[in-house]
Amino acid sequence: MDWIDLRSDTVTLPTPEMRKAMANAELGDDVFGEDPTVNRLEAQMAERLGKMAGLFIPSGTMGNLTALLTHCGRGDEVILGALSHSFLYEAGGMAALGGIHPFTVPNQSDGTLLLDDIESAIRADNPHYPISRLICLENTHNRCGGVPITAEYTREVGDLARQYSLKLHLDGARIFNAAIALDVSAAELAAPADTIMVCLSKALCAPVGSVLCGDEDFIQRARRVRKQLGGGMRQAGVIAAAGIVALENMVDRLAEDHKRARLLAKRLREIPGLSVEWEEPPTNMVYLQFNQDSPISAPELVKKCAEKGIKLSAIGSRRMRLVVHYWIDDQAIDTVVKAFEQSLKSD
Ligand code: TLP
């Protein structure tokens, strides 16, 4: 590769094997339910996540939105983390398109929500209040360092949800990263949730696509919502074929990304002016802080590295997220560390 891009694992290009599978995919009209490749991907993903059915959706954002619109009616409330992707980065779709009211509770540094906070957010039956309908968790938690959320914790939240007759949705955009990091199956992590959305287009390298999984009745209703959102695709097997390769061949290798993220963090920690946020990055994300004594700011480093062919993105002036993925090898890590060392020299 002649580029190094650590802005996200969404930048991953499809692998040669994916391109081949796409070219040879058996196709049909998926709005009629007749695309065999889409049907295969949906069934395989549902089975892998221990759910009854799956629905192929163009993006993670649309996957979460479809789930929320299927679970909640207008004026219903969803309880979710103040740092969750659905709250921060999905353009307020739940409110704009579904009239869904978000009740945010603080994320702890490990991505979890305190059970007490969730319980206090659940509304009593009183006409002054919206109706609490849904709890959302995110695994791995993007803004909290890419941390995996354990099955035990998810079970506790699931029990709480059931106690109050609420549903639990999991934004599992990177659920396979969590499963690999925790050495459990993705199905175990998903078991306490009624529904889960997982992305194929992030570290798994597929060009497009997410799958929403749940029980048959939910998926049937979600199919109508996806249509309302304009997400009913026709010969979508062209892209689902890459998703099947992603699911079958790209999951186990995520361990390599996690190992390289730890290596990157270890080497960056040695550079004066920088602090790495986690002792050991738990999955494929490295979050950095630029200390007060750092000779340059995060956006300045982005500019300097761009001149060397390295793409980075800053979060404000003193924070940065680096995401390791399939197209980042040991050589790339070395090049990035050297570029950082040069750019952060204080003379
Ligand atoms: N996250 C992207 C950006 O939107 C921030 C990234 O670079 O990490 N859930 C989670 C936890 C995500 O991290 C993302 C994408 C999504 C949902 C949305 O997926 P897409 O981009 O397919 O709509």
Side-chain angles (χ1 to χ4, degrees):
M1 296 303 293
D2 55 1
W3 52 269
I4 297 177
D5 193 339
L6 291 165
R7 289 172 301 171
S8 180
D9 47 10
T10 59
V11 303
T12 45
L13 300 177
T15 63
E17 197 189 352
M18 287 177 183
R19 290 180 189 263
K20 202 163 147 216
M22 293 168 82
N24 296 328
E26 231 189 302
L27 304 174
D29 188 328
D30 181 49
V31 175
F32 289 111
E34 290 174 5
D35 189 301
T37 310
V38 170
N39 292 342
R40 207 171 115 211
L41 171 63
E42 290 175 345
Q44 268 182 242
M45 184 64 91
E47 195 192 341
R48 188 82 176 252
L49 296 176
K51 302 293 180 211
M52 281 163 74
L55 184 66
F56 189 44
I57 302 214
S59 70
T61 300
M62 195 190 279
N64 282 330
L65 182 59
T66 302
L68 265 67
L69 293 176
T70 309
H71 281 299
C72 304
R74 300 189 71 81
D76 286 351
E77 198 160 65
V78 54
I79 299 165
L80 77 178
L83 296 177
S84 62
H85 193 277
S86 293
F87 182 65
L88 289 180
Y89 301 119
E90 294 177 12
M94 69 175 92
L97 303 177
I100 300 167
H101 198 239
F103 191 135
T104 57
V105 300
N107 282 99
Q108 304 303 298
S109 60
D110 64 357
T112 61
L113 312 175
L114 293 179
L115 293 176
D116 281 350
D117 285 347
I118 298 177
E119 196 161 10
S120 319
I122 298 172
R123 308 283 194 162
D125 184 9
N126 177 319
H128 290 87
Y129 300 147
I131 296 171
S132 305
R133 193 72 74 190
L134 180 70
I135 303 170
C136 290
L137 295 177
E138 185 176 313
N139 198 4
T140 61
H141 201 289
N142 187 341
R143 262 295 165 266
C144 295
V147 64
I149 309 285
T150 63
E152 293 71 31
Y153 170 77
T154 312
R155 221 173 288 133
E156 286 176 345
V157 177
D159 289 346
L160 188 62
R162 268 181 297 280
Q163 190 186 327
Y164 287 91
S165 302
L166 307 189
K167 299 290 184 190
L168 175 61
H169 172 68
L170 201 52
D171 175 349
R174 297 183 182 83
I175 197 69
F176 291 113
N177 292 84
I180 293 285
L182 297 169
D183 198 20
V184 296
S185 71
E188 208 175 314
L189 297 175
D194 297 279
T195 56
I196 174 168
M197 185 286 295
V198 57
C199 291
L200 297 157
S201 63
K202 306 212 157 40
L204 300 182
C205 281
V208 181
S210 298
V211 184
L212 176 61
C213 293
D215 67 27
E216 295 279 5
D217 170 67
F218 177 87
I219 292 299
Q220 204 180 325
R221 290 185 291 122
R223 198 174 284 281
R224 178 173 285 111
V225 172
R226 183 188 68 174
K227 186 72 186 154
Q228 290 173 332
L229 295 175
M233 299 179 284
R234 300 296 177 175
Q235 285 70 38
V238 170
I239 46 178
I244 292 173
V245 176
L247 188 57
E248 290 180 349
N249 299 348
M250 302 299 282
V251 171
D252 291 343
R253 63 150 307 283
L254 292 174
E256 282 178 41
D257 297 342
H258 299 178
K259 196 167 141 213
R260 284 202 181 94
R262 290 196 293 272
L263 174 69
L264 179 63
K266 181 167 174 273
R267 294 193 57 191
L268 292 180
R269 196 172 277 121
E270 286 158 14
I271 301 177
L274 292 182
S275 309
V276 179
E277 284 185 15
W278 282 76
E279 189 54 38
E280 289 252 289
T283 56
N284 64 336
M285 296 181 181
V286 179
Y287 276 87
L288 293 178
Q289 290 284 346
F290 287 63
N291 305 338
Q292 291 305 330
D293 65 350
S294 166
I296 57 174
S297 68
E300 281 163 348
L301 182 66
V302 171
K303 258 200 218 141
K304 283 186 181 240
C305 284
E307 288 160 14
K308 298 179 165 72
I310 300 169
K311 292 185 186 177
L312 304 170
S313 58
I315 307 166
S317 63
R318 305 219 149 259
R319 197 170 181 227
M320 180 175 277
R321 181 189 72 161
L322 309 175
V323 188
V324 177
H325 51 74
Y326 179 78
W327 298 103
I328 301 295
D329 58 12
D330 290 338
Q331 175 69 48
I333 298 283
D334 198 54
T335 307
V336 170
V337 172
K338 288 193 173 126
F340 271 56
E341 280 166 354
Q342 276 174 6
S343 308
L344 280 145
K345 259 199 235 130
S346 40
D347 50 12

